[in-house]
Amino acid sequence: MVFVFRNNTIERFFPKCYDFSGYGDISNTPVDAEGYVWFYQLPVKYDQGVLAEEIGDYSRKLGLVLSQIDNAKQVVALTMEWMYAVTFTDDDHRLRSAIEDYNASLYALAKRHANLKVIDFGEFTRQYSAQELTDWKFYLTSQMVLNPALRKAFWGWFSKKMDDIALKRKKCLVIDLDNTLWGGVLGEEGINGIQTGSDYPGTAFHLFQEGLLELSKHGVILTVCSKNDEDAVFDVWERNPFLVLRKEHFVAWRINWKDKATNIKEIAKELNIGLDSMVFVDDDPRERELIRQQLPIVEVPDFPVQPYELPVFFQKLVNDYFKVYSITQEDREKTQQYKDNASRIQAQQDFCCFKDYLKSLDIHLTIEKADEYNMLRIAQMTQKTNQFNLTTKRYTDGDVRRFLNEGWMIWCLSVADRFGDNGITGCMMVKPTPDPSQKGRVFEIDTFLLSCRIMGKDIEYAFVRQVLAIMKCQDVRTVIASYIPTAKNRQTAEFYDKCGFTLESEHGGVKYYALSLDDADITTEDYYQIVVK
């Protein structure tokens, strides 16, 4: 159950698993709620002074509520928006100032309370006119300021914002070139003939590229899939002075005359990501339909017919597929990390012996406990990691904080080598489990995962053995674990077997394991340089 604090009627806008306070009532804060929503909006009154004073009291109320709520439980607060208000003179700014101050107080509280997430309700209300936002029949009969006709639209928007908070988004944008990234056809117009300069429609494509560059800085992988001559594209990337995006901004490309479904599958394989992590953008409706038919799990938005529609298209592209509540340092460095990985793959070809290759990498592993600085990244990995994820459980940073309060041991792994730093790319979460035999402490591995970027170097074995060694030093005697199969994590089906765990049982494809740390081999290869913090 999620509990909603409100000052007007909003029950229709939420599903049955939500419960509600009385109007303006904060006297009852149910401690058994899974999470909380703070949804206070502008009351319908005409006395500007009374309204401003009442709004000023709302942030104080929220502060009191936050002091009563477990800081491991998530609170989502919606900003206040000007849906209906009447001012009697143009120079009376009390109400607008009160709303601005209230919203500013929400963001200030969020800085002090890590479990508070503030979302901009104006993002929803700005889509509608004042007449559409409020149906006065419903307000006067049931105190419902927001028009119930918007119920479905609101819940779709709110659910997407909750996904943003949970850091759920697509990973990779695959984009065409001719009449998509720039105007015109390179093979016909030439290097200096394509449109991406200071005159329309070049201005539209130039602005689009600026947006894509910022998207890449926020952790989205940019790739190219284009029917074109590769040498000509490389030439235009190098010589055209008006391009914003150049070769170094793209992690992978397929510039050839093969069908684009094959090319996209190759890009996914090269980057070791799932097709369901990809969004394909192309101006040609025939190419879009090909991908929809042959790769239905790839998202394919409709591209605008006119270049002047590109700013609106880009905004929708970000909101629908790539926007998240916040990003991590690993997100900011993702493009370089994937390029470094390509260098590692190339270097491996120079070695016949796999161990010699690993020794040459100068691999540094840093294992550290979960804290406020890495908690968001740990939660993000549980949301995004599919291939090497033994249980594929999804958690928020609030969940991680709650687990720590309940006595879980949680570690994250950072990986660096001579080619670069991958940042935090692994985590292990173990929880205490009652031991009926009273023979020692027992912990269960709830989550064990690694990013696909660091796969192929046996790092997973070094990580788990080092953590097992840490647990042994903390008097843990037995570790239990499970493998829960999904369509994407089959490569991990025998992982615990290879780590020396004993298979205890198997039901419906789920495997249950146990390991006695007294007898376990927890040594690691000496070519991993491991630091435990």
Side-chain angles (χ1 to χ4, degrees), residues 182-453:
W182 54 62
V185 178
L186 178 60
E188 298 175 1
E189 311 292 341
I191 292 175
N192 298 315
I194 58 171
Q195 299 160 330
T196 181
S198 57
D199 297 325
Y200 182 83
T203 50
F205 292 102
H206 194 274
L207 184 62
F208 185 42
Q209 288 187 42
E210 288 180 344
L212 294 176
L213 179 59
E214 285 303 309
L215 194 61
S216 73
K217 293 177 182 178
H218 285 75
V220 175
I221 308 165
L222 299 185
T223 67
V224 167
C225 182
S226 172
K227 288 183 176 176
N228 236 308
D229 179 77
E230 187 177 66
D231 290 338
V233 172
F234 288 172
D235 202 20
V236 77
W237 274 341
E238 183 177 347
R239 295 173 53 196
N240 187 297
F242 300 107
L243 286 176
V244 176
L245 292 176
R246 300 185 181 275
K247 184 178 180 179
E248 63 267 22
H249 297 119
F250 298 99
V251 174
W253 50 81
R254 290 297 183 276
I255 303 169
N256 53 43
W257 304 101
K258 294 195 299 187
D259 71 275
K260 294 193 175 183
T262 298
N263 279 332
I264 289 174
K265 287 189 285 187
E266 288 182 1
I267 291 173
K269 184 177 180 180
E270 177 182 336
L271 300 180
N272 197 19
I273 62 174
L275 289 167
D276 59 345
S277 300
M278 308 178 87
V279 179
F280 174 63
V281 172
D282 196 306
D283 71 297
D284 191 333
R286 293 164 297 184
E287 298 288 5
R288 298 198 299 268
E289 186 60 26
L290 171 72
I291 303 306
R292 290 185 180 124
Q293 293 291 332
Q294 296 196 16
L295 303 176
I297 60 175
V298 174
E299 294 288 350
V300 185
D302 286 329
F303 195 77
V305 175
Q306 299 296 336
Y308 57 74
E309 298 173 309
L310 276 170
V312 175
F313 170 76
F314 179 72
Q315 182 181 48
K316 183 171 174 54
L317 184 73
V318 172
N319 289 338
D320 288 353
Y321 304 115
F322 299 115
K323 191 172 184 178
V324 288
Y325 188 80
S326 58
I327 63 171
T328 64
Q329 186 62 32
E330 284 73 17
D331 291 321
R332 295 184 180 93
E333 298 172 354
K334 188 162 290 183
T335 295
Q336 187 58 48
Q337 289 168 352
Y338 273 93
K339 289 184 175 182
D340 293 341
N341 211 39
S343 299
R344 294 182 187 96
I345 294 171
Q346 182 65 36
Q348 186 174 355
Q349 299 175 9
D350 298 331
F351 292 86
C352 297
C353 174
F354 182 64
K355 286 191 175 182
D356 289 341
Y357 163 65
L358 293 182
K359 291 176 182 178
S360 76
L361 289 178
D362 189 23
I363 299 173
H364 291 252
L365 308 181
T366 302
I367 298 171
E368 54 189 326
K369 294 179 181 178
D371 56 29
E372 287 295 336
Y373 299 102
N374 55 39
M375 203 174 290
L376 184 65
R377 173 59 180 165
I378 290 172
Q380 182 187 59
M381 287 189 292
T382 71
Q383 295 288 346
K384 297 170 62 176
T385 307
N386 296 303
Q387 295 182 59
F388 198 98
N389 192 335
L390 275 295
T391 53
T392 319
K393 296 179 181 180
R394 311 299 193 188
Y395 296 125
T396 65
D397 56 326
D399 293 324
V400 178
R401 190 176 292 105
R402 173 166 53 87
F403 296 155
L404 290 173
N405 291 342
E406 293 172 356
W408 290 37
M409 294 190 286
I410 302 175
W411 296 271
C412 61
L413 171 72
S414 299
V415 180
D417 61 22
R418 66 185 177 92
F419 288 104
D421 190 343
N422 281 291
I424 298 175
T425 41
C427 83
M428 184 171 174
M429 307 167 66
V430 299
K431 59 184 178 182
T433 303
D435 178 22
S437 68
Q438 300 297 315
K439 293 182 179 179
R441 300 177 73 195
V442 178
F443 274 75
E444 177 184 356
I445 301 176
D446 174 87
T447 296
F448 185 79
L449 61 83
L450 267 76
S451 168
C452 59
R453 297 201 305 279

Side-chain angles (χ1 to χ4, degrees), residues 60-231:
R60 183 188 65 83
K61 284 186 172 182
L62 176 56
L64 290 172
V65 167
L66 288 169
S67 69
Q68 299 171 26
I69 289 175
D70 183 345
N71 64 6
K73 291 188 177 182
Q74 182 170 277
V75 183
V76 175
L78 285 77
T79 60
M80 181 178 293
E81 300 306 320
W82 188 293
M83 287 196 289
Y84 175 79
V86 177
T87 56
F88 297 94
T89 62
D90 289 336
D91 64 350
D92 188 347
H93 307 299
R94 287 175 294 172
L95 187 55
R96 188 167 297 281
S97 295
I99 294 173
E100 292 174 354
D101 290 345
Y102 169 75
N103 288 336
S105 74
L106 294 185
Y107 292 109
L109 284 168
K111 288 184 178 180
R112 299 198 297 270
H113 298 269
N115 60 325
L116 175 62
K117 313 296 183 184
V118 181
I119 57 177
D120 179 11
F121 185 43
E123 185 180 298
F124 176 78
T125 61
R126 285 190 291 270
Q127 301 175 67
Y128 305 97
S129 66
Q131 291 74 24
E132 293 172 309
L133 281 173
T134 302
D135 185 319
W136 289 103
K137 172 185 174 183
F138 285 97
Y139 174 76
L140 294 170
T141 57
S142 62
Q143 299 294 298
M144 192 180 302
V145 178
L146 191 60
N147 188 345
L150 302 177
R151 176 178 55 184
K152 184 176 180 181
F154 170 83
W155 181 247
W157 171 81
F158 186 76
S159 299
K160 176 62 175 63
K161 301 310 293 184
M162 296 303 287
D163 284 345
D164 292 350
I165 290 172
L167 308 179
K168 297 178 181 178
R169 68 168 173 179
K170 300 298 181 182
K171 295 180 180 179
C172 175
L173 177 67
V174 185
I175 193 162
D176 178 42
L177 296 177
D178 292 335
N179 288 314
T180 305
L181 199 62
W182 54 62
V185 178
L186 178 60
E188 298 175 1
E189 311 292 341
I191 292 175
N192 298 315
I194 58 171
Q195 299 160 330
T196 181
S198 57
D199 297 325
Y200 182 83
T203 50
F205 292 102
H206 194 274
L207 184 62
F208 185 42
Q209 288 187 42
E210 288 180 344
L212 294 176
L213 179 59
E214 285 303 309
L215 194 61
S216 73
K217 293 177 182 178
H218 285 75
V220 175
I221 308 165
L222 299 185
T223 67
V224 167
C225 182
S226 172
K227 288 183 176 176
N228 236 308
D229 179 77
E230 187 177 66
D231 290 338

